[in-house]
Every structure is written in structure tokens, then in C-alpha cells.
Amino acid sequence: MGLLAALAVVCAVVSGPRAAAAEDAGGAAAQYVRGFQTRETLLAQAEVRANETEWLTTNRPKGGTLALLKSIDPEVNAVFRELLEGDAQAVHKQLLAAQRDAEGRIASRVGVWQRSRTKLYRRQVSLFETSRAQQAAGAWAALMSFDNRWFWLAAVLAIASLVGLGLHSRRHEVRKVFHGGRSTALTLTIGMGVLLLVVFLATAATFLFGDRLFRSLLSASSAGGIPPQQRAADVNAALAKEIELLEAARTTGDSPYQAALDAWHQSLSKALPSQSQQLAQDWRQSRQIIHDLSVDLAVEQRLVEAMQNDVNELRGVDEQLQAAATGTGTLLKKRRRVRVGFGLSLVVLTALSTLAYWRADWYRHQRTANTCPRCAAEESLAPLDDDRRRLRCGHRLNRDPAVYCRYTFATAECGLPKLSFPTLGVAACGKTQWAAMVYRQLTEGRHPRAVRFRQNESAKSDSFDQIVTAILNRQGPPATEADEIPMPLCLQFKDRDRLGPSDVMASVFDYAGSITTDVAADDYRRRRALQAAGLLLMLDPTQPGSPQAKAIEALGRDLRRQRHLNSEAVIRTPVAVCITKIDLLAAQPYAGDEEGRPLHEFYRRLAEVDPDGEELSRRAIKARAQLFRDLRGTIWPHWNLEQQLDGLFGRRSMFFPLSAVGLDNLGETNPREQTIAPFGIFEPLMWLLHVNGYPCLE
């Protein structure tokens, strides 16, 4: 990146001559000379034809000497005719030679004048830029000249490299924003992106518009004065309009001339004997050559006059340039200083941005490494005295009574990104059983192949081992302790990122139901739960909807207060709405023959989407979520759950119908008769990782 920025400086310093300006001057000069020649030709034609029309009208042949040719002896007539025709042919040849000479002189003068006119335009441009660009604004306007296009392109490449580096290093945050979340780690990248857009537009302008943009800026930066290029364009435009008017007038002026010429030719033909009609044709051809020669001579004279005027003007411009020669060196130095200064600024910006990215990544890594997975406190970790490979958090969670975190985990895991996902819901809604089954399936390797789980030391939990044992013994999970922040179940996953897989630690907190329904918003346990990267909201379809709706409303109110949002703002925290115990829906009163048709249809279509509930794809997740939406009116007819969630979280929530025991024994309420084959328990966790920027879904 620094090399690219340095290349921009080199391109600015060693930029070559104004090739584009030279091409513009040559084109404008050629257009003017051609237009001038065309205009003068049309004017000369009009003048010559007017004179010819007058002469032909007043000097029409009436007989006389020519009539004698009809009365003399035929042999004598033939001799006279031969003499006249010979003289006419000789005159015709002389006129053609004179016309060719005149046309050759005109072509030569046009070429000389075009080169002279081009030189004049270039000198005028140099004089204008020298006088205008001596101002500071003019020197800055020179940055937009066509010469500096490679300078701007190198700047685009340098800044684009920085933006690409930032996007790659913060790709998880970018994906999080695309999924509707909010990130504060993209400020530098967004700023560099805006700068890239500005520089890209400047680069595109220099490539597409060339020196036209430079001339416009130069004209705008100076008080008064029109750029020579604009004056030349205006003159050429006026010349083109004048030619159009002359062309239109020629069509009306040709008629009298042609009529007089035809009448004269007819009179001449009548006056001559039939054997001498060739004289009439020779006369008409010679008359046309005389007409064209008169026009060429008139145009040549006017070209000479115009060329002399340009020579005089060029001499005056050269004198002014010589007078300004002392300021030209200063001007070039000023331009070069501006270019080099801008290029060095780009180098410094690149270096500082690279340093800022490195510092931000280092700070983020340090902050992650010093953050406790349980309480999210920073700078509170210290190695154990008897085992330096493990860290313990000494953060005080509560003052009265004094409660300390004291969570321990392996030092090797401290650098992993830590995302916390608490399970929230009313009591006995299936939170603990879901977490225990996830723990069991992962640690025993029974998870779907799409789940890239890494066994680590923190994933092993004695308490969850006991809960799993109780569930397998058909005793049911014990009540969750609510006195402190629960010890997290730390699970290490590897995402499916095509730009480079990343490891991430997902900390699952099994909160008691009272934390959701009874604890005040300022309680440290509830505050920690609401600091999560995503919520696992457990809804029990076998319980009434009213208490659960009130709990959701309280959660939304506390989340808005914690994030300093107004009462109508959408909460950006993703929420996995887990519909637990869907196997027990078959035991509900609405599962009868008539009322149970939507439920039976739900089970049937659920099996069609994914029979075993292990397909970790966005398609399957959306399909199962839609199946629950279709069934929600049957489960809770008086609770518009979708509307409530949309009002709180917008489109950042997703439904996950699941069962911690499976769907093999629908409606079976006796734990001893249930077959443990969990259905759909991994999707909520994988979806939360996915919307937080770690692609885990197919």
C-alpha cells in the first residue's frame, strides 16, 4: 500500500507534457480553418454569381458577327469554325491550369495556416494557464488535469488496498451489519470507503473528461476571463451557424444565376450555325472555370489576410509569454509542490491508516483476550497460582452482598472471540433440557456433520454431566440456580467462512426462569443477560401465552433502556425464538380430530422439510419457521406473537420449533416412555453465530 502511494507521488512529479491539450489545440485550429475556408468560399460564390448574373443579363448575344457564319460559304465557314474552336480549346486549357494553380496555392496556405493557428492556440492556452494558475486555487486545479490521471489511479489502488484490508479483517462485523446488526468497529473502514469513493470519482473524472474538467476548474478559480479553449469552441460554433445560414441562402441565390446562364447559352446556340454548337458548349465550360477561378482567387486573398492577422496576434502572445517567463518557473515549482504535497499526504494517510488498522486489531485482540466469558469484565483475568495455563476472573459482580466471578478457563482459549447467548424464558419452559442436550450431542460427537465443533477444556462441565445423566435416567433436569450468573457452557466452533475459517467461542448461559420474569432491570444477573450478542428466547407451547408475552415485553423494555433507545426504536439484538416441546403439542386439547388438523399438517410438513432436524441450512430454517407461523394461531389464538416480536426486534428474530427429546413419541408426557432423539436443537445456536458474522449455515 505504501508502494502504491509512493507510485502516485512519482506519477505526479514526472508527469509529461500536456498531450491532451495539444490535441485539443490542433483539433480546434483545423476546425476553424476548415470553417473559415467554407464560409469564405460561400461568400465569394455569392458575390461572383451576383456579378455574373448581372453581366449575363446585360450582355446576352443577339446575332451580329456570329450571324454572318450562317451566310458565308460552307468551306469558309468550316475554316472560321476550326479557328474559333481551336482558340476556345486553348483558352479552356489555360483556364484549367490557372484553376489548378489557385487550388494548389489554397491547399498549401490552408496547411500553413492550420499549423500557425494551432501554435497560436497553444500559446494562448499557455499564457492563460500561466496567468491564472499563479494563484493558489489554480495550482490546486492543476491536480485535475489529464496529466495526473495515473496519480489518481495509484491513489485509488492504495486506498482500495486499505479498504480491502479493513473489510477482510472486519468481515465478521460487515456480515453482522448486513444481517441487520450494528457495529462500532467499522468506523475507520467506512471513513476510508468514503475517501475511496471521492478519489475514485476524481480519477474517473480525469480519465473521462480529460482537460475539460481542469479548464473548468481553472476558469472558476480565476476572477474573470474565458479560457482560450472555450473561446475557440465558441468561435467555431458561431462559424458553423454562419455557414448554415449561407448554405440556406445559396439555394435561393442559385436560381437567378442558373436562369441567366441558361438564357445566355440558348441565345448563343441560336446565334451560331448548327455546325458550330460545340462553341456554345466550350463557352459554358470556360465560363464555369472562370467562375470557380474567381472564387478561388477571392478565397486565397482572404486566407492571406487572415493568416497575417494570426501571425500578428501570435507575435503579441509571444511577447506576453516572454514577459511572464519569470513567473513560469515559479508556477511550475508551485504545481510540483502541490502535487508532491498531495502525494506525500497520501503516503502519510496510507501509513497512518495502516498503523490505525494494526493498532485497532491489536487492541481488539487484547480486549478479547482480557475479557471474561462469564461476566464480560475486562482486565480482571489473572493466572492461577498453581496452574499458569489457566486464568481466573477476579471481578466483583455485586457490592451488597459481595459476589465475585471467579470463573476459570484455559489460557489458550482467551484469544478466541467470545459471544454470549443466554437462555431466557418462563420457568419450566425447557431451557435447561435444551442446553443439556446440546452439550451431550456435541461432547459425544452426535452433532450434524455441518456443525464444526472443537472439543476444548471449557466445554466440559460437571454440572451439565449431572443434568444429562438425570435426563437419560428419566428423572428430568433439576431446577436452575438463580442466585448468581450461571456458569457458561463455552463451546468452540469453526465457521464456514470462504475467506478464511475463524474459531469462535459461544458461551451459553442457562438462566433460571425468575431472571426473565421476576428480577429487576438493574439486577447484575439480568444486566449480564441483556449484554448478550444474541438471545435464546424459549417459549413453551404447552403453557399459556399471556405470562410469556409479558416477559417478552419486559425484556424489550429493559433492552431499550440498557441501549439508550427510545420506546419505538427497533432493537438490533438477534433473537432465536425457540418453540420447545413441540412433541407435546399432540397431547394438547386442540389436537382432536377436527381442531387437530393444522397440528397434523404441521408434523407432516415438518418431516418433509427435514425428517431428522439436522439440516443446517437457511432454507430449512425459514421453512420450519413458516410452519410454526401457520400453527401459531392454533397454539395461542389470542397472542399475536409475530407482531410483538416485529415491533421489538424488527426482522432480527427467527422461530425454531424444536424438541429436546425428539418426535418419535408424539404426545408422550411420561419421561420413562420417551425416546431421547433431539430434533432441531442446533439450529438456534448456529443461526445466532451466523447473524453475528460467523457463517455457519449452508
Side-chain angles (χ1 to χ4, degrees), residues 3 56 86 178 198 220 223 228-229 239 254 261 284-285 331 359 361 364 404 430 498 539 578 627 679 698:
L3 291 176
L56 292 171
F178 282 160
V198 173
Q229 298 91 334
L239 196 58
D254 282 351
L261 187 63
R284 183 158 191 159
Q285 293 177 3
L331 167 65
R359 185 179 181 277
D361 288 342
R364 182 176 57 178
Y404 291 88
R498 296 179 180 179
L539 299 182
C578 303
L627 291 178
F679 177 88
E698 298 175 350

PDB file of all heavy atoms in Angstrom, residues 3 56 86 178 198 220 223 228-229 239 254 261 284-285 331 359 361 364 404 430 498 539 578 627 679 698:
ATOM      1  N   LEU A   3       3.844   1.396  -1.205  1.00  0.00           N
ATOM      2  CA  LEU A   3       4.457   1.485  -2.526  1.00  0.00           C
ATOM      3  C   LEU A   3       3.497   2.088  -3.536  1.00  0.00           C
ATOM      4  O   LEU A   3       3.894   2.860  -4.415  1.00  0.00           O
ATOM      5  CB  LEU A   3       4.898   0.085  -2.981  1.00  0.00           C
ATOM      6  CG  LEU A   3       6.075  -0.531  -2.201  1.00  0.00           C
ATOM      7  CD1 LEU A   3       6.344  -1.936  -2.686  1.00  0.00           C
ATOM      8  CD2 LEU A   3       7.309   0.343  -2.349  1.00  0.00           C
ATOM      9  N   LEU A  56     -24.379  38.495 -67.427  1.00  0.00           N
ATOM     10  CA  LEU A  56     -25.080  37.643 -68.379  1.00  0.00           C
ATOM     11  C   LEU A  56     -26.409  38.240 -68.813  1.00  0.00           C
ATOM     12  O   LEU A  56     -26.870  38.051 -69.949  1.00  0.00           O
ATOM     13  CB  LEU A  56     -25.305  36.251 -67.760  1.00  0.00           C
ATOM     14  CG  LEU A  56     -24.059  35.397 -67.522  1.00  0.00           C
ATOM     15  CD1 LEU A  56     -24.409  34.154 -66.716  1.00  0.00           C
ATOM     16  CD2 LEU A  56     -23.415  34.999 -68.842  1.00  0.00           C
ATOM     17  N   GLY A  86     -10.389  26.122 -82.058  1.00  0.00           N
ATOM     18  CA  GLY A  86      -9.013  25.969 -81.575  1.00  0.00           C
ATOM     19  C   GLY A  86      -8.669  26.997 -80.530  1.00  0.00           C
ATOM     20  O   GLY A  86      -8.048  26.688 -79.513  1.00  0.00           O
ATOM     21  N   PHE A 178     -24.821  -6.509   7.621  1.00  0.00           N
ATOM     22  CA  PHE A 178     -25.677  -6.945   6.524  1.00  0.00           C
ATOM     23  C   PHE A 178     -26.868  -7.746   7.030  1.00  0.00           C
ATOM     24  O   PHE A 178     -27.928  -7.744   6.402  1.00  0.00           O
ATOM     25  CB  PHE A 178     -24.880  -7.784   5.531  1.00  0.00           C
ATOM     26  CG  PHE A 178     -24.012  -6.968   4.625  1.00  0.00           C
ATOM     27  CD1 PHE A 178     -22.933  -7.532   3.966  1.00  0.00           C
ATOM     28  CD2 PHE A 178     -24.266  -5.624   4.436  1.00  0.00           C
ATOM     29  CE1 PHE A 178     -22.136  -6.777   3.129  1.00  0.00           C
ATOM     30  CE2 PHE A 178     -23.474  -4.850   3.601  1.00  0.00           C
ATOM     31  CZ  PHE A 178     -22.405  -5.433   2.956  1.00  0.00           C
ATOM     32  N   VAL A 198     -14.559   9.273  -3.064  1.00  0.00           N
ATOM     33  CA  VAL A 198     -14.199  10.611  -3.540  1.00  0.00           C
ATOM     34  C   VAL A 198     -13.037  10.540  -4.523  1.00  0.00           C
ATOM     35  O   VAL A 198     -13.068  11.136  -5.612  1.00  0.00           O
ATOM     36  CB  VAL A 198     -13.859  11.524  -2.344  1.00  0.00           C
ATOM     37  CG1 VAL A 198     -13.315  12.867  -2.827  1.00  0.00           C
ATOM     38  CG2 VAL A 198     -15.094  11.743  -1.478  1.00  0.00           C
ATOM     39  N   ALA A 220     -13.039  28.664 -13.116  1.00  0.00           N
ATOM     40  CA  ALA A 220     -13.808  29.003 -11.913  1.00  0.00           C
ATOM     41  C   ALA A 220     -12.922  29.567 -10.812  1.00  0.00           C
ATOM     42  O   ALA A 220     -13.365  30.372  -9.993  1.00  0.00           O
ATOM     43  CB  ALA A 220     -14.545  27.766 -11.405  1.00  0.00           C
ATOM     44  N   ALA A 223     -10.750  35.081 -11.318  1.00  0.00           N
ATOM     45  CA  ALA A 223     -11.769  36.126 -11.416  1.00  0.00           C
ATOM     46  C   ALA A 223     -11.766  36.676 -12.829  1.00  0.00           C
ATOM     47  O   ALA A 223     -10.825  37.342 -13.254  1.00  0.00           O
ATOM     48  CB  ALA A 223     -11.475  37.241 -10.406  1.00  0.00           C
ATOM     49  N   PRO A 228      -9.022  30.071 -23.338  1.00  0.00           N
ATOM     50  CA  PRO A 228      -8.892  30.077 -24.801  1.00  0.00           C
ATOM     51  C   PRO A 228      -9.618  28.914 -25.457  1.00  0.00           C
ATOM     52  O   PRO A 228     -10.147  29.058 -26.560  1.00  0.00           O
ATOM     53  CB  PRO A 228      -7.373  29.982 -25.014  1.00  0.00           C
ATOM     54  CG  PRO A 228      -6.774  30.509 -23.752  1.00  0.00           C
ATOM     55  CD  PRO A 228      -7.711  30.131 -22.665  1.00  0.00           C
ATOM     56  N   GLN A 229      -9.619  27.758 -24.812  1.00  0.00           N
ATOM     57  CA  GLN A 229     -10.323  26.617 -25.395  1.00  0.00           C
ATOM     58  C   GLN A 229     -11.809  26.911 -25.532  1.00  0.00           C
ATOM     59  O   GLN A 229     -12.440  26.546 -26.529  1.00  0.00           O
ATOM     60  CB  GLN A 229     -10.109  25.368 -24.531  1.00  0.00           C
ATOM     61  CG  GLN A 229      -8.654  24.935 -24.415  1.00  0.00           C
ATOM     62  CD  GLN A 229      -7.969  25.561 -23.220  1.00  0.00           C
ATOM     63  OE1 GLN A 229      -8.365  26.627 -22.768  1.00  0.00           O
ATOM     64  NE2 GLN A 229      -6.942  24.894 -22.711  1.00  0.00           N
ATOM     65  N   LEU A 239     -19.144  30.097 -36.176  1.00  0.00           N
ATOM     66  CA  LEU A 239     -18.792  29.913 -37.578  1.00  0.00           C
ATOM     67  C   LEU A 239     -19.683  28.853 -38.226  1.00  0.00           C
ATOM     68  O   LEU A 239     -20.126  29.007 -39.374  1.00  0.00           O
ATOM     69  CB  LEU A 239     -17.324  29.504 -37.674  1.00  0.00           C
ATOM     70  CG  LEU A 239     -16.640  29.625 -39.046  1.00  0.00           C
ATOM     71  CD1 LEU A 239     -16.715  31.062 -39.554  1.00  0.00           C
ATOM     72  CD2 LEU A 239     -15.185  29.170 -38.937  1.00  0.00           C
ATOM     73  N   ASP A 254     -28.941  30.670 -56.193  1.00  0.00           N
ATOM     74  CA  ASP A 254     -28.501  29.942 -57.383  1.00  0.00           C
ATOM     75  C   ASP A 254     -29.501  30.034 -58.540  1.00  0.00           C
ATOM     76  O   ASP A 254     -29.112  29.942 -59.713  1.00  0.00           O
ATOM     77  CB  ASP A 254     -28.272  28.466 -57.041  1.00  0.00           C
ATOM     78  CG  ASP A 254     -26.942  28.269 -56.331  1.00  0.00           C
ATOM     79  OD1 ASP A 254     -26.158  29.225 -56.276  1.00  0.00           O
ATOM     80  OD2 ASP A 254     -26.703  27.159 -55.825  1.00  0.00           O
ATOM     81  N   LEU A 261     -27.598  32.036 -66.920  1.00  0.00           N
ATOM     82  CA  LEU A 261     -26.620  31.235 -67.654  1.00  0.00           C
ATOM     83  C   LEU A 261     -27.292  30.414 -68.745  1.00  0.00           C
ATOM     84  O   LEU A 261     -26.794  30.323 -69.883  1.00  0.00           O
ATOM     85  CB  LEU A 261     -25.864  30.326 -66.672  1.00  0.00           C
ATOM     86  CG  LEU A 261     -24.681  29.533 -67.232  1.00  0.00           C
ATOM     87  CD1 LEU A 261     -23.592  30.487 -67.719  1.00  0.00           C
ATOM     88  CD2 LEU A 261     -24.120  28.586 -66.171  1.00  0.00           C
ATOM     89  N   ARG A 284     -19.610  27.535 -72.271  1.00  0.00           N
ATOM     90  CA  ARG A 284     -20.227  27.290 -70.961  1.00  0.00           C
ATOM     91  C   ARG A 284     -19.217  26.686 -69.987  1.00  0.00           C
ATOM     92  O   ARG A 284     -19.159  27.060 -68.815  1.00  0.00           O
ATOM     93  CB  ARG A 284     -21.425  26.373 -71.123  1.00  0.00           C
ATOM     94  CG  ARG A 284     -22.170  26.133 -69.825  1.00  0.00           C
ATOM     95  CD  ARG A 284     -23.578  25.701 -70.053  1.00  0.00           C
ATOM     96  NE  ARG A 284     -24.331  25.719 -68.810  1.00  0.00           N
ATOM     97  CZ  ARG A 284     -25.642  25.784 -68.756  1.00  0.00           C
ATOM     98  NH1 ARG A 284     -26.353  25.899 -69.866  1.00  0.00           N
ATOM     99  NH2 ARG A 284     -26.268  25.779 -67.598  1.00  0.00           N
ATOM    100  N   GLN A 285     -18.406  25.737 -70.451  1.00  0.00           N
ATOM    101  CA  GLN A 285     -17.383  25.137 -69.588  1.00  0.00           C
ATOM    102  C   GLN A 285     -16.353  26.178 -69.147  1.00  0.00           C
ATOM    103  O   GLN A 285     -15.952  26.225 -67.978  1.00  0.00           O
ATOM    104  CB  GLN A 285     -16.705  23.994 -70.320  1.00  0.00           C
ATOM    105  CG  GLN A 285     -17.613  22.801 -70.584  1.00  0.00           C
ATOM    106  CD  GLN A 285     -16.922  21.720 -71.369  1.00  0.00           C
ATOM    107  OE1 GLN A 285     -15.734  21.825 -71.679  1.00  0.00           O
ATOM    108  NE2 GLN A 285     -17.675  20.664 -71.711  1.00  0.00           N
ATOM    109  N   LEU A 331       5.681  29.111 -11.298  1.00  0.00           N
ATOM    110  CA  LEU A 331       4.428  28.378 -11.463  1.00  0.00           C
ATOM    111  C   LEU A 331       4.664  26.876 -11.461  1.00  0.00           C
ATOM    112  O   LEU A 331       3.970  26.117 -10.777  1.00  0.00           O
ATOM    113  CB  LEU A 331       3.752  28.809 -12.771  1.00  0.00           C
ATOM    114  CG  LEU A 331       2.587  27.933 -13.258  1.00  0.00           C
ATOM    115  CD1 LEU A 331       1.449  28.006 -12.272  1.00  0.00           C
ATOM    116  CD2 LEU A 331       2.143  28.369 -14.642  1.00  0.00           C
ATOM    117  N   ARG A 359      -3.239  -1.096  15.014  1.00  0.00           N
ATOM    118  CA  ARG A 359      -3.496  -0.784  16.423  1.00  0.00           C
ATOM    119  C   ARG A 359      -4.881  -1.234  16.843  1.00  0.00           C
ATOM    120  O   ARG A 359      -5.078  -1.769  17.937  1.00  0.00           O
ATOM    121  CB  ARG A 359      -3.328   0.712  16.659  1.00  0.00           C
ATOM    122  CG  ARG A 359      -3.463   1.132  18.115  1.00  0.00           C
ATOM    123  CD  ARG A 359      -3.252   2.628  18.285  1.00  0.00           C
ATOM    124  NE  ARG A 359      -3.355   3.030  19.674  1.00  0.00           N
ATOM    125  CZ  ARG A 359      -4.513   3.275  20.294  1.00  0.00           C
ATOM    126  NH1 ARG A 359      -5.654   3.145  19.631  1.00  0.00           N
ATOM    127  NH2 ARG A 359      -4.528   3.634  21.568  1.00  0.00           N
ATOM    128  N   ASP A 361      -6.654  -3.669  15.495  1.00  0.00           N
ATOM    129  CA  ASP A 361      -6.664  -5.136  15.597  1.00  0.00           C
ATOM    130  C   ASP A 361      -5.961  -5.600  16.862  1.00  0.00           C
ATOM    131  O   ASP A 361      -6.416  -6.539  17.537  1.00  0.00           O
ATOM    132  CB  ASP A 361      -5.998  -5.747  14.365  1.00  0.00           C
ATOM    133  CG  ASP A 361      -6.856  -5.613  13.123  1.00  0.00           C
ATOM    134  OD1 ASP A 361      -8.080  -5.377  13.276  1.00  0.00           O
ATOM    135  OD2 ASP A 361      -6.322  -5.724  12.005  1.00  0.00           O
ATOM    136  N   ARG A 364      -8.219  -4.818  19.767  1.00  0.00           N
ATOM    137  CA  ARG A 364      -9.356  -5.734  19.803  1.00  0.00           C
ATOM    138  C   ARG A 364      -8.929  -7.111  20.303  1.00  0.00           C
ATOM    139  O   ARG A 364      -9.636  -7.751  21.087  1.00  0.00           O
ATOM    140  CB  ARG A 364      -9.958  -5.842  18.398  1.00  0.00           C
ATOM    141  CG  ARG A 364     -11.183  -6.732  18.318  1.00  0.00           C
ATOM    142  CD  ARG A 364     -11.781  -6.724  16.928  1.00  0.00           C
ATOM    143  NE  ARG A 364     -10.793  -7.129  15.923  1.00  0.00           N
ATOM    144  CZ  ARG A 364     -11.072  -7.250  14.634  1.00  0.00           C
ATOM    145  NH1 ARG A 364     -12.289  -6.971  14.194  1.00  0.00           N
ATOM    146  NH2 ARG A 364     -10.139  -7.627  13.784  1.00  0.00           N
ATOM    147  N   TYR A 404     -18.301 -12.407  43.680  1.00  0.00           N
ATOM    148  CA  TYR A 404     -17.173 -12.377  42.758  1.00  0.00           C
ATOM    149  C   TYR A 404     -17.372 -13.425  41.666  1.00  0.00           C
ATOM    150  O   TYR A 404     -18.025 -14.451  41.871  1.00  0.00           O
ATOM    151  CB  TYR A 404     -15.862 -12.621  43.498  1.00  0.00           C
ATOM    152  CG  TYR A 404     -15.480 -11.486  44.419  1.00  0.00           C
ATOM    153  CD1 TYR A 404     -15.924 -11.446  45.743  1.00  0.00           C
ATOM    154  CD2 TYR A 404     -14.685 -10.439  43.951  1.00  0.00           C
ATOM    155  CE1 TYR A 404     -15.586 -10.400  46.576  1.00  0.00           C
ATOM    156  CE2 TYR A 404     -14.343  -9.389  44.791  1.00  0.00           C
ATOM    157  CZ  TYR A 404     -14.795  -9.369  46.096  1.00  0.00           C
ATOM    158  OH  TYR A 404     -14.472  -8.325  46.925  1.00  0.00           O
ATOM    159  N   GLY A 430     -38.204 -25.473  29.325  1.00  0.00           N
ATOM    160  CA  GLY A 430     -37.317 -26.364  28.590  1.00  0.00           C
ATOM    161  C   GLY A 430     -35.936 -25.797  28.326  1.00  0.00           C
ATOM    162  O   GLY A 430     -35.210 -26.333  27.479  1.00  0.00           O
ATOM    163  N   ARG A 498     -15.493 -18.681   3.624  1.00  0.00           N
ATOM    164  CA  ARG A 498     -14.673 -18.983   2.458  1.00  0.00           C
ATOM    165  C   ARG A 498     -13.433 -18.103   2.393  1.00  0.00           C
ATOM    166  O   ARG A 498     -12.471 -18.439   1.697  1.00  0.00           O
ATOM    167  CB  ARG A 498     -15.501 -18.802   1.186  1.00  0.00           C
ATOM    168  CG  ARG A 498     -16.673 -19.774   1.084  1.00  0.00           C
ATOM    169  CD  ARG A 498     -17.463 -19.532  -0.189  1.00  0.00           C
ATOM    170  NE  ARG A 498     -18.585 -20.447  -0.298  1.00  0.00           N
ATOM    171  CZ  ARG A 498     -19.457 -20.436  -1.303  1.00  0.00           C
ATOM    172  NH1 ARG A 498     -19.309 -19.548  -2.279  1.00  0.00           N
ATOM    173  NH2 ARG A 498     -20.452 -21.299  -1.332  1.00  0.00           N
ATOM    174  N   LEU A 539     -39.847 -20.387  24.367  1.00  0.00           N
ATOM    175  CA  LEU A 539     -41.289 -20.296  24.559  1.00  0.00           C
ATOM    176  C   LEU A 539     -41.866 -21.702  24.633  1.00  0.00           C
ATOM    177  O   LEU A 539     -41.591 -22.546  23.769  1.00  0.00           O
ATOM    178  CB  LEU A 539     -41.942 -19.525  23.402  1.00  0.00           C
ATOM    179  CG  LEU A 539     -41.500 -18.073  23.218  1.00  0.00           C
ATOM    180  CD1 LEU A 539     -42.263 -17.425  22.074  1.00  0.00           C
ATOM    181  CD2 LEU A 539     -41.695 -17.271  24.496  1.00  0.00           C
ATOM    182  N   CYS A 578     -37.094 -20.004  20.332  1.00  0.00           N
ATOM    183  CA  CYS A 578     -37.141 -21.465  20.335  1.00  0.00           C
ATOM    184  C   CYS A 578     -38.508 -21.927  20.857  1.00  0.00           C
ATOM    185  O   CYS A 578     -38.865 -21.656  22.015  1.00  0.00           O
ATOM    186  CB  CYS A 578     -36.032 -22.032  21.211  1.00  0.00           C
ATOM    187  SG  CYS A 578     -34.376 -21.491  20.727  1.00  0.00           S
ATOM    188  N   LEU A 627     -43.686 -22.834   9.077  1.00  0.00           N
ATOM    189  CA  LEU A 627     -44.633 -23.834   9.567  1.00  0.00           C
ATOM    190  C   LEU A 627     -45.158 -23.452  10.946  1.00  0.00           C
ATOM    191  O   LEU A 627     -46.362 -23.613  11.231  1.00  0.00           O
ATOM    192  CB  LEU A 627     -43.959 -25.210   9.618  1.00  0.00           C
ATOM    193  CG  LEU A 627     -43.618 -25.855   8.267  1.00  0.00           C
ATOM    194  CD1 LEU A 627     -42.922 -27.191   8.473  1.00  0.00           C
ATOM    195  CD2 LEU A 627     -44.884 -26.039   7.442  1.00  0.00           C
ATOM    196  N   PHE A 679     -34.503 -33.113  18.306  1.00  0.00           N
ATOM    197  CA  PHE A 679     -34.871 -32.629  16.967  1.00  0.00           C
ATOM    198  C   PHE A 679     -34.673 -31.109  16.912  1.00  0.00           C
ATOM    199  O   PHE A 679     -35.243 -30.364  17.716  1.00  0.00           O
ATOM    200  CB  PHE A 679     -36.335 -32.964  16.670  1.00  0.00           C
ATOM    201  CG  PHE A 679     -36.818 -32.426  15.344  1.00  0.00           C
ATOM    202  CD1 PHE A 679     -36.668 -33.161  14.183  1.00  0.00           C
ATOM    203  CD2 PHE A 679     -37.408 -31.172  15.253  1.00  0.00           C
ATOM    204  CE1 PHE A 679     -37.101 -32.669  12.967  1.00  0.00           C
ATOM    205  CE2 PHE A 679     -37.837 -30.659  14.042  1.00  0.00           C
ATOM    206  CZ  PHE A 679     -37.683 -31.415  12.885  1.00  0.00           C
ATOM    207  N   GLU A 698     -25.475 -23.599   5.820  1.00  0.00           N
ATOM    208  CA  GLU A 698     -25.256 -23.935   4.416  1.00  0.00           C
ATOM    209  C   GLU A 698     -26.119 -23.056   3.528  1.00  0.00           C
ATOM    210  O   GLU A 698     -27.185 -22.626   3.928  1.00  0.00           O
ATOM    211  CB  GLU A 698     -25.583 -25.409   4.170  1.00  0.00           C
ATOM    212  CG  GLU A 698     -24.692 -26.371   4.973  1.00  0.00           C
ATOM    213  CD  GLU A 698     -25.111 -27.816   4.796  1.00  0.00           C
ATOM    214  OE1 GLU A 698     -26.202 -28.036   4.212  1.00  0.00           O
ATOM    215  OE2 GLU A 698     -24.379 -28.698   5.224  1.00  0.00           O
TER     216      GLU A 698
END
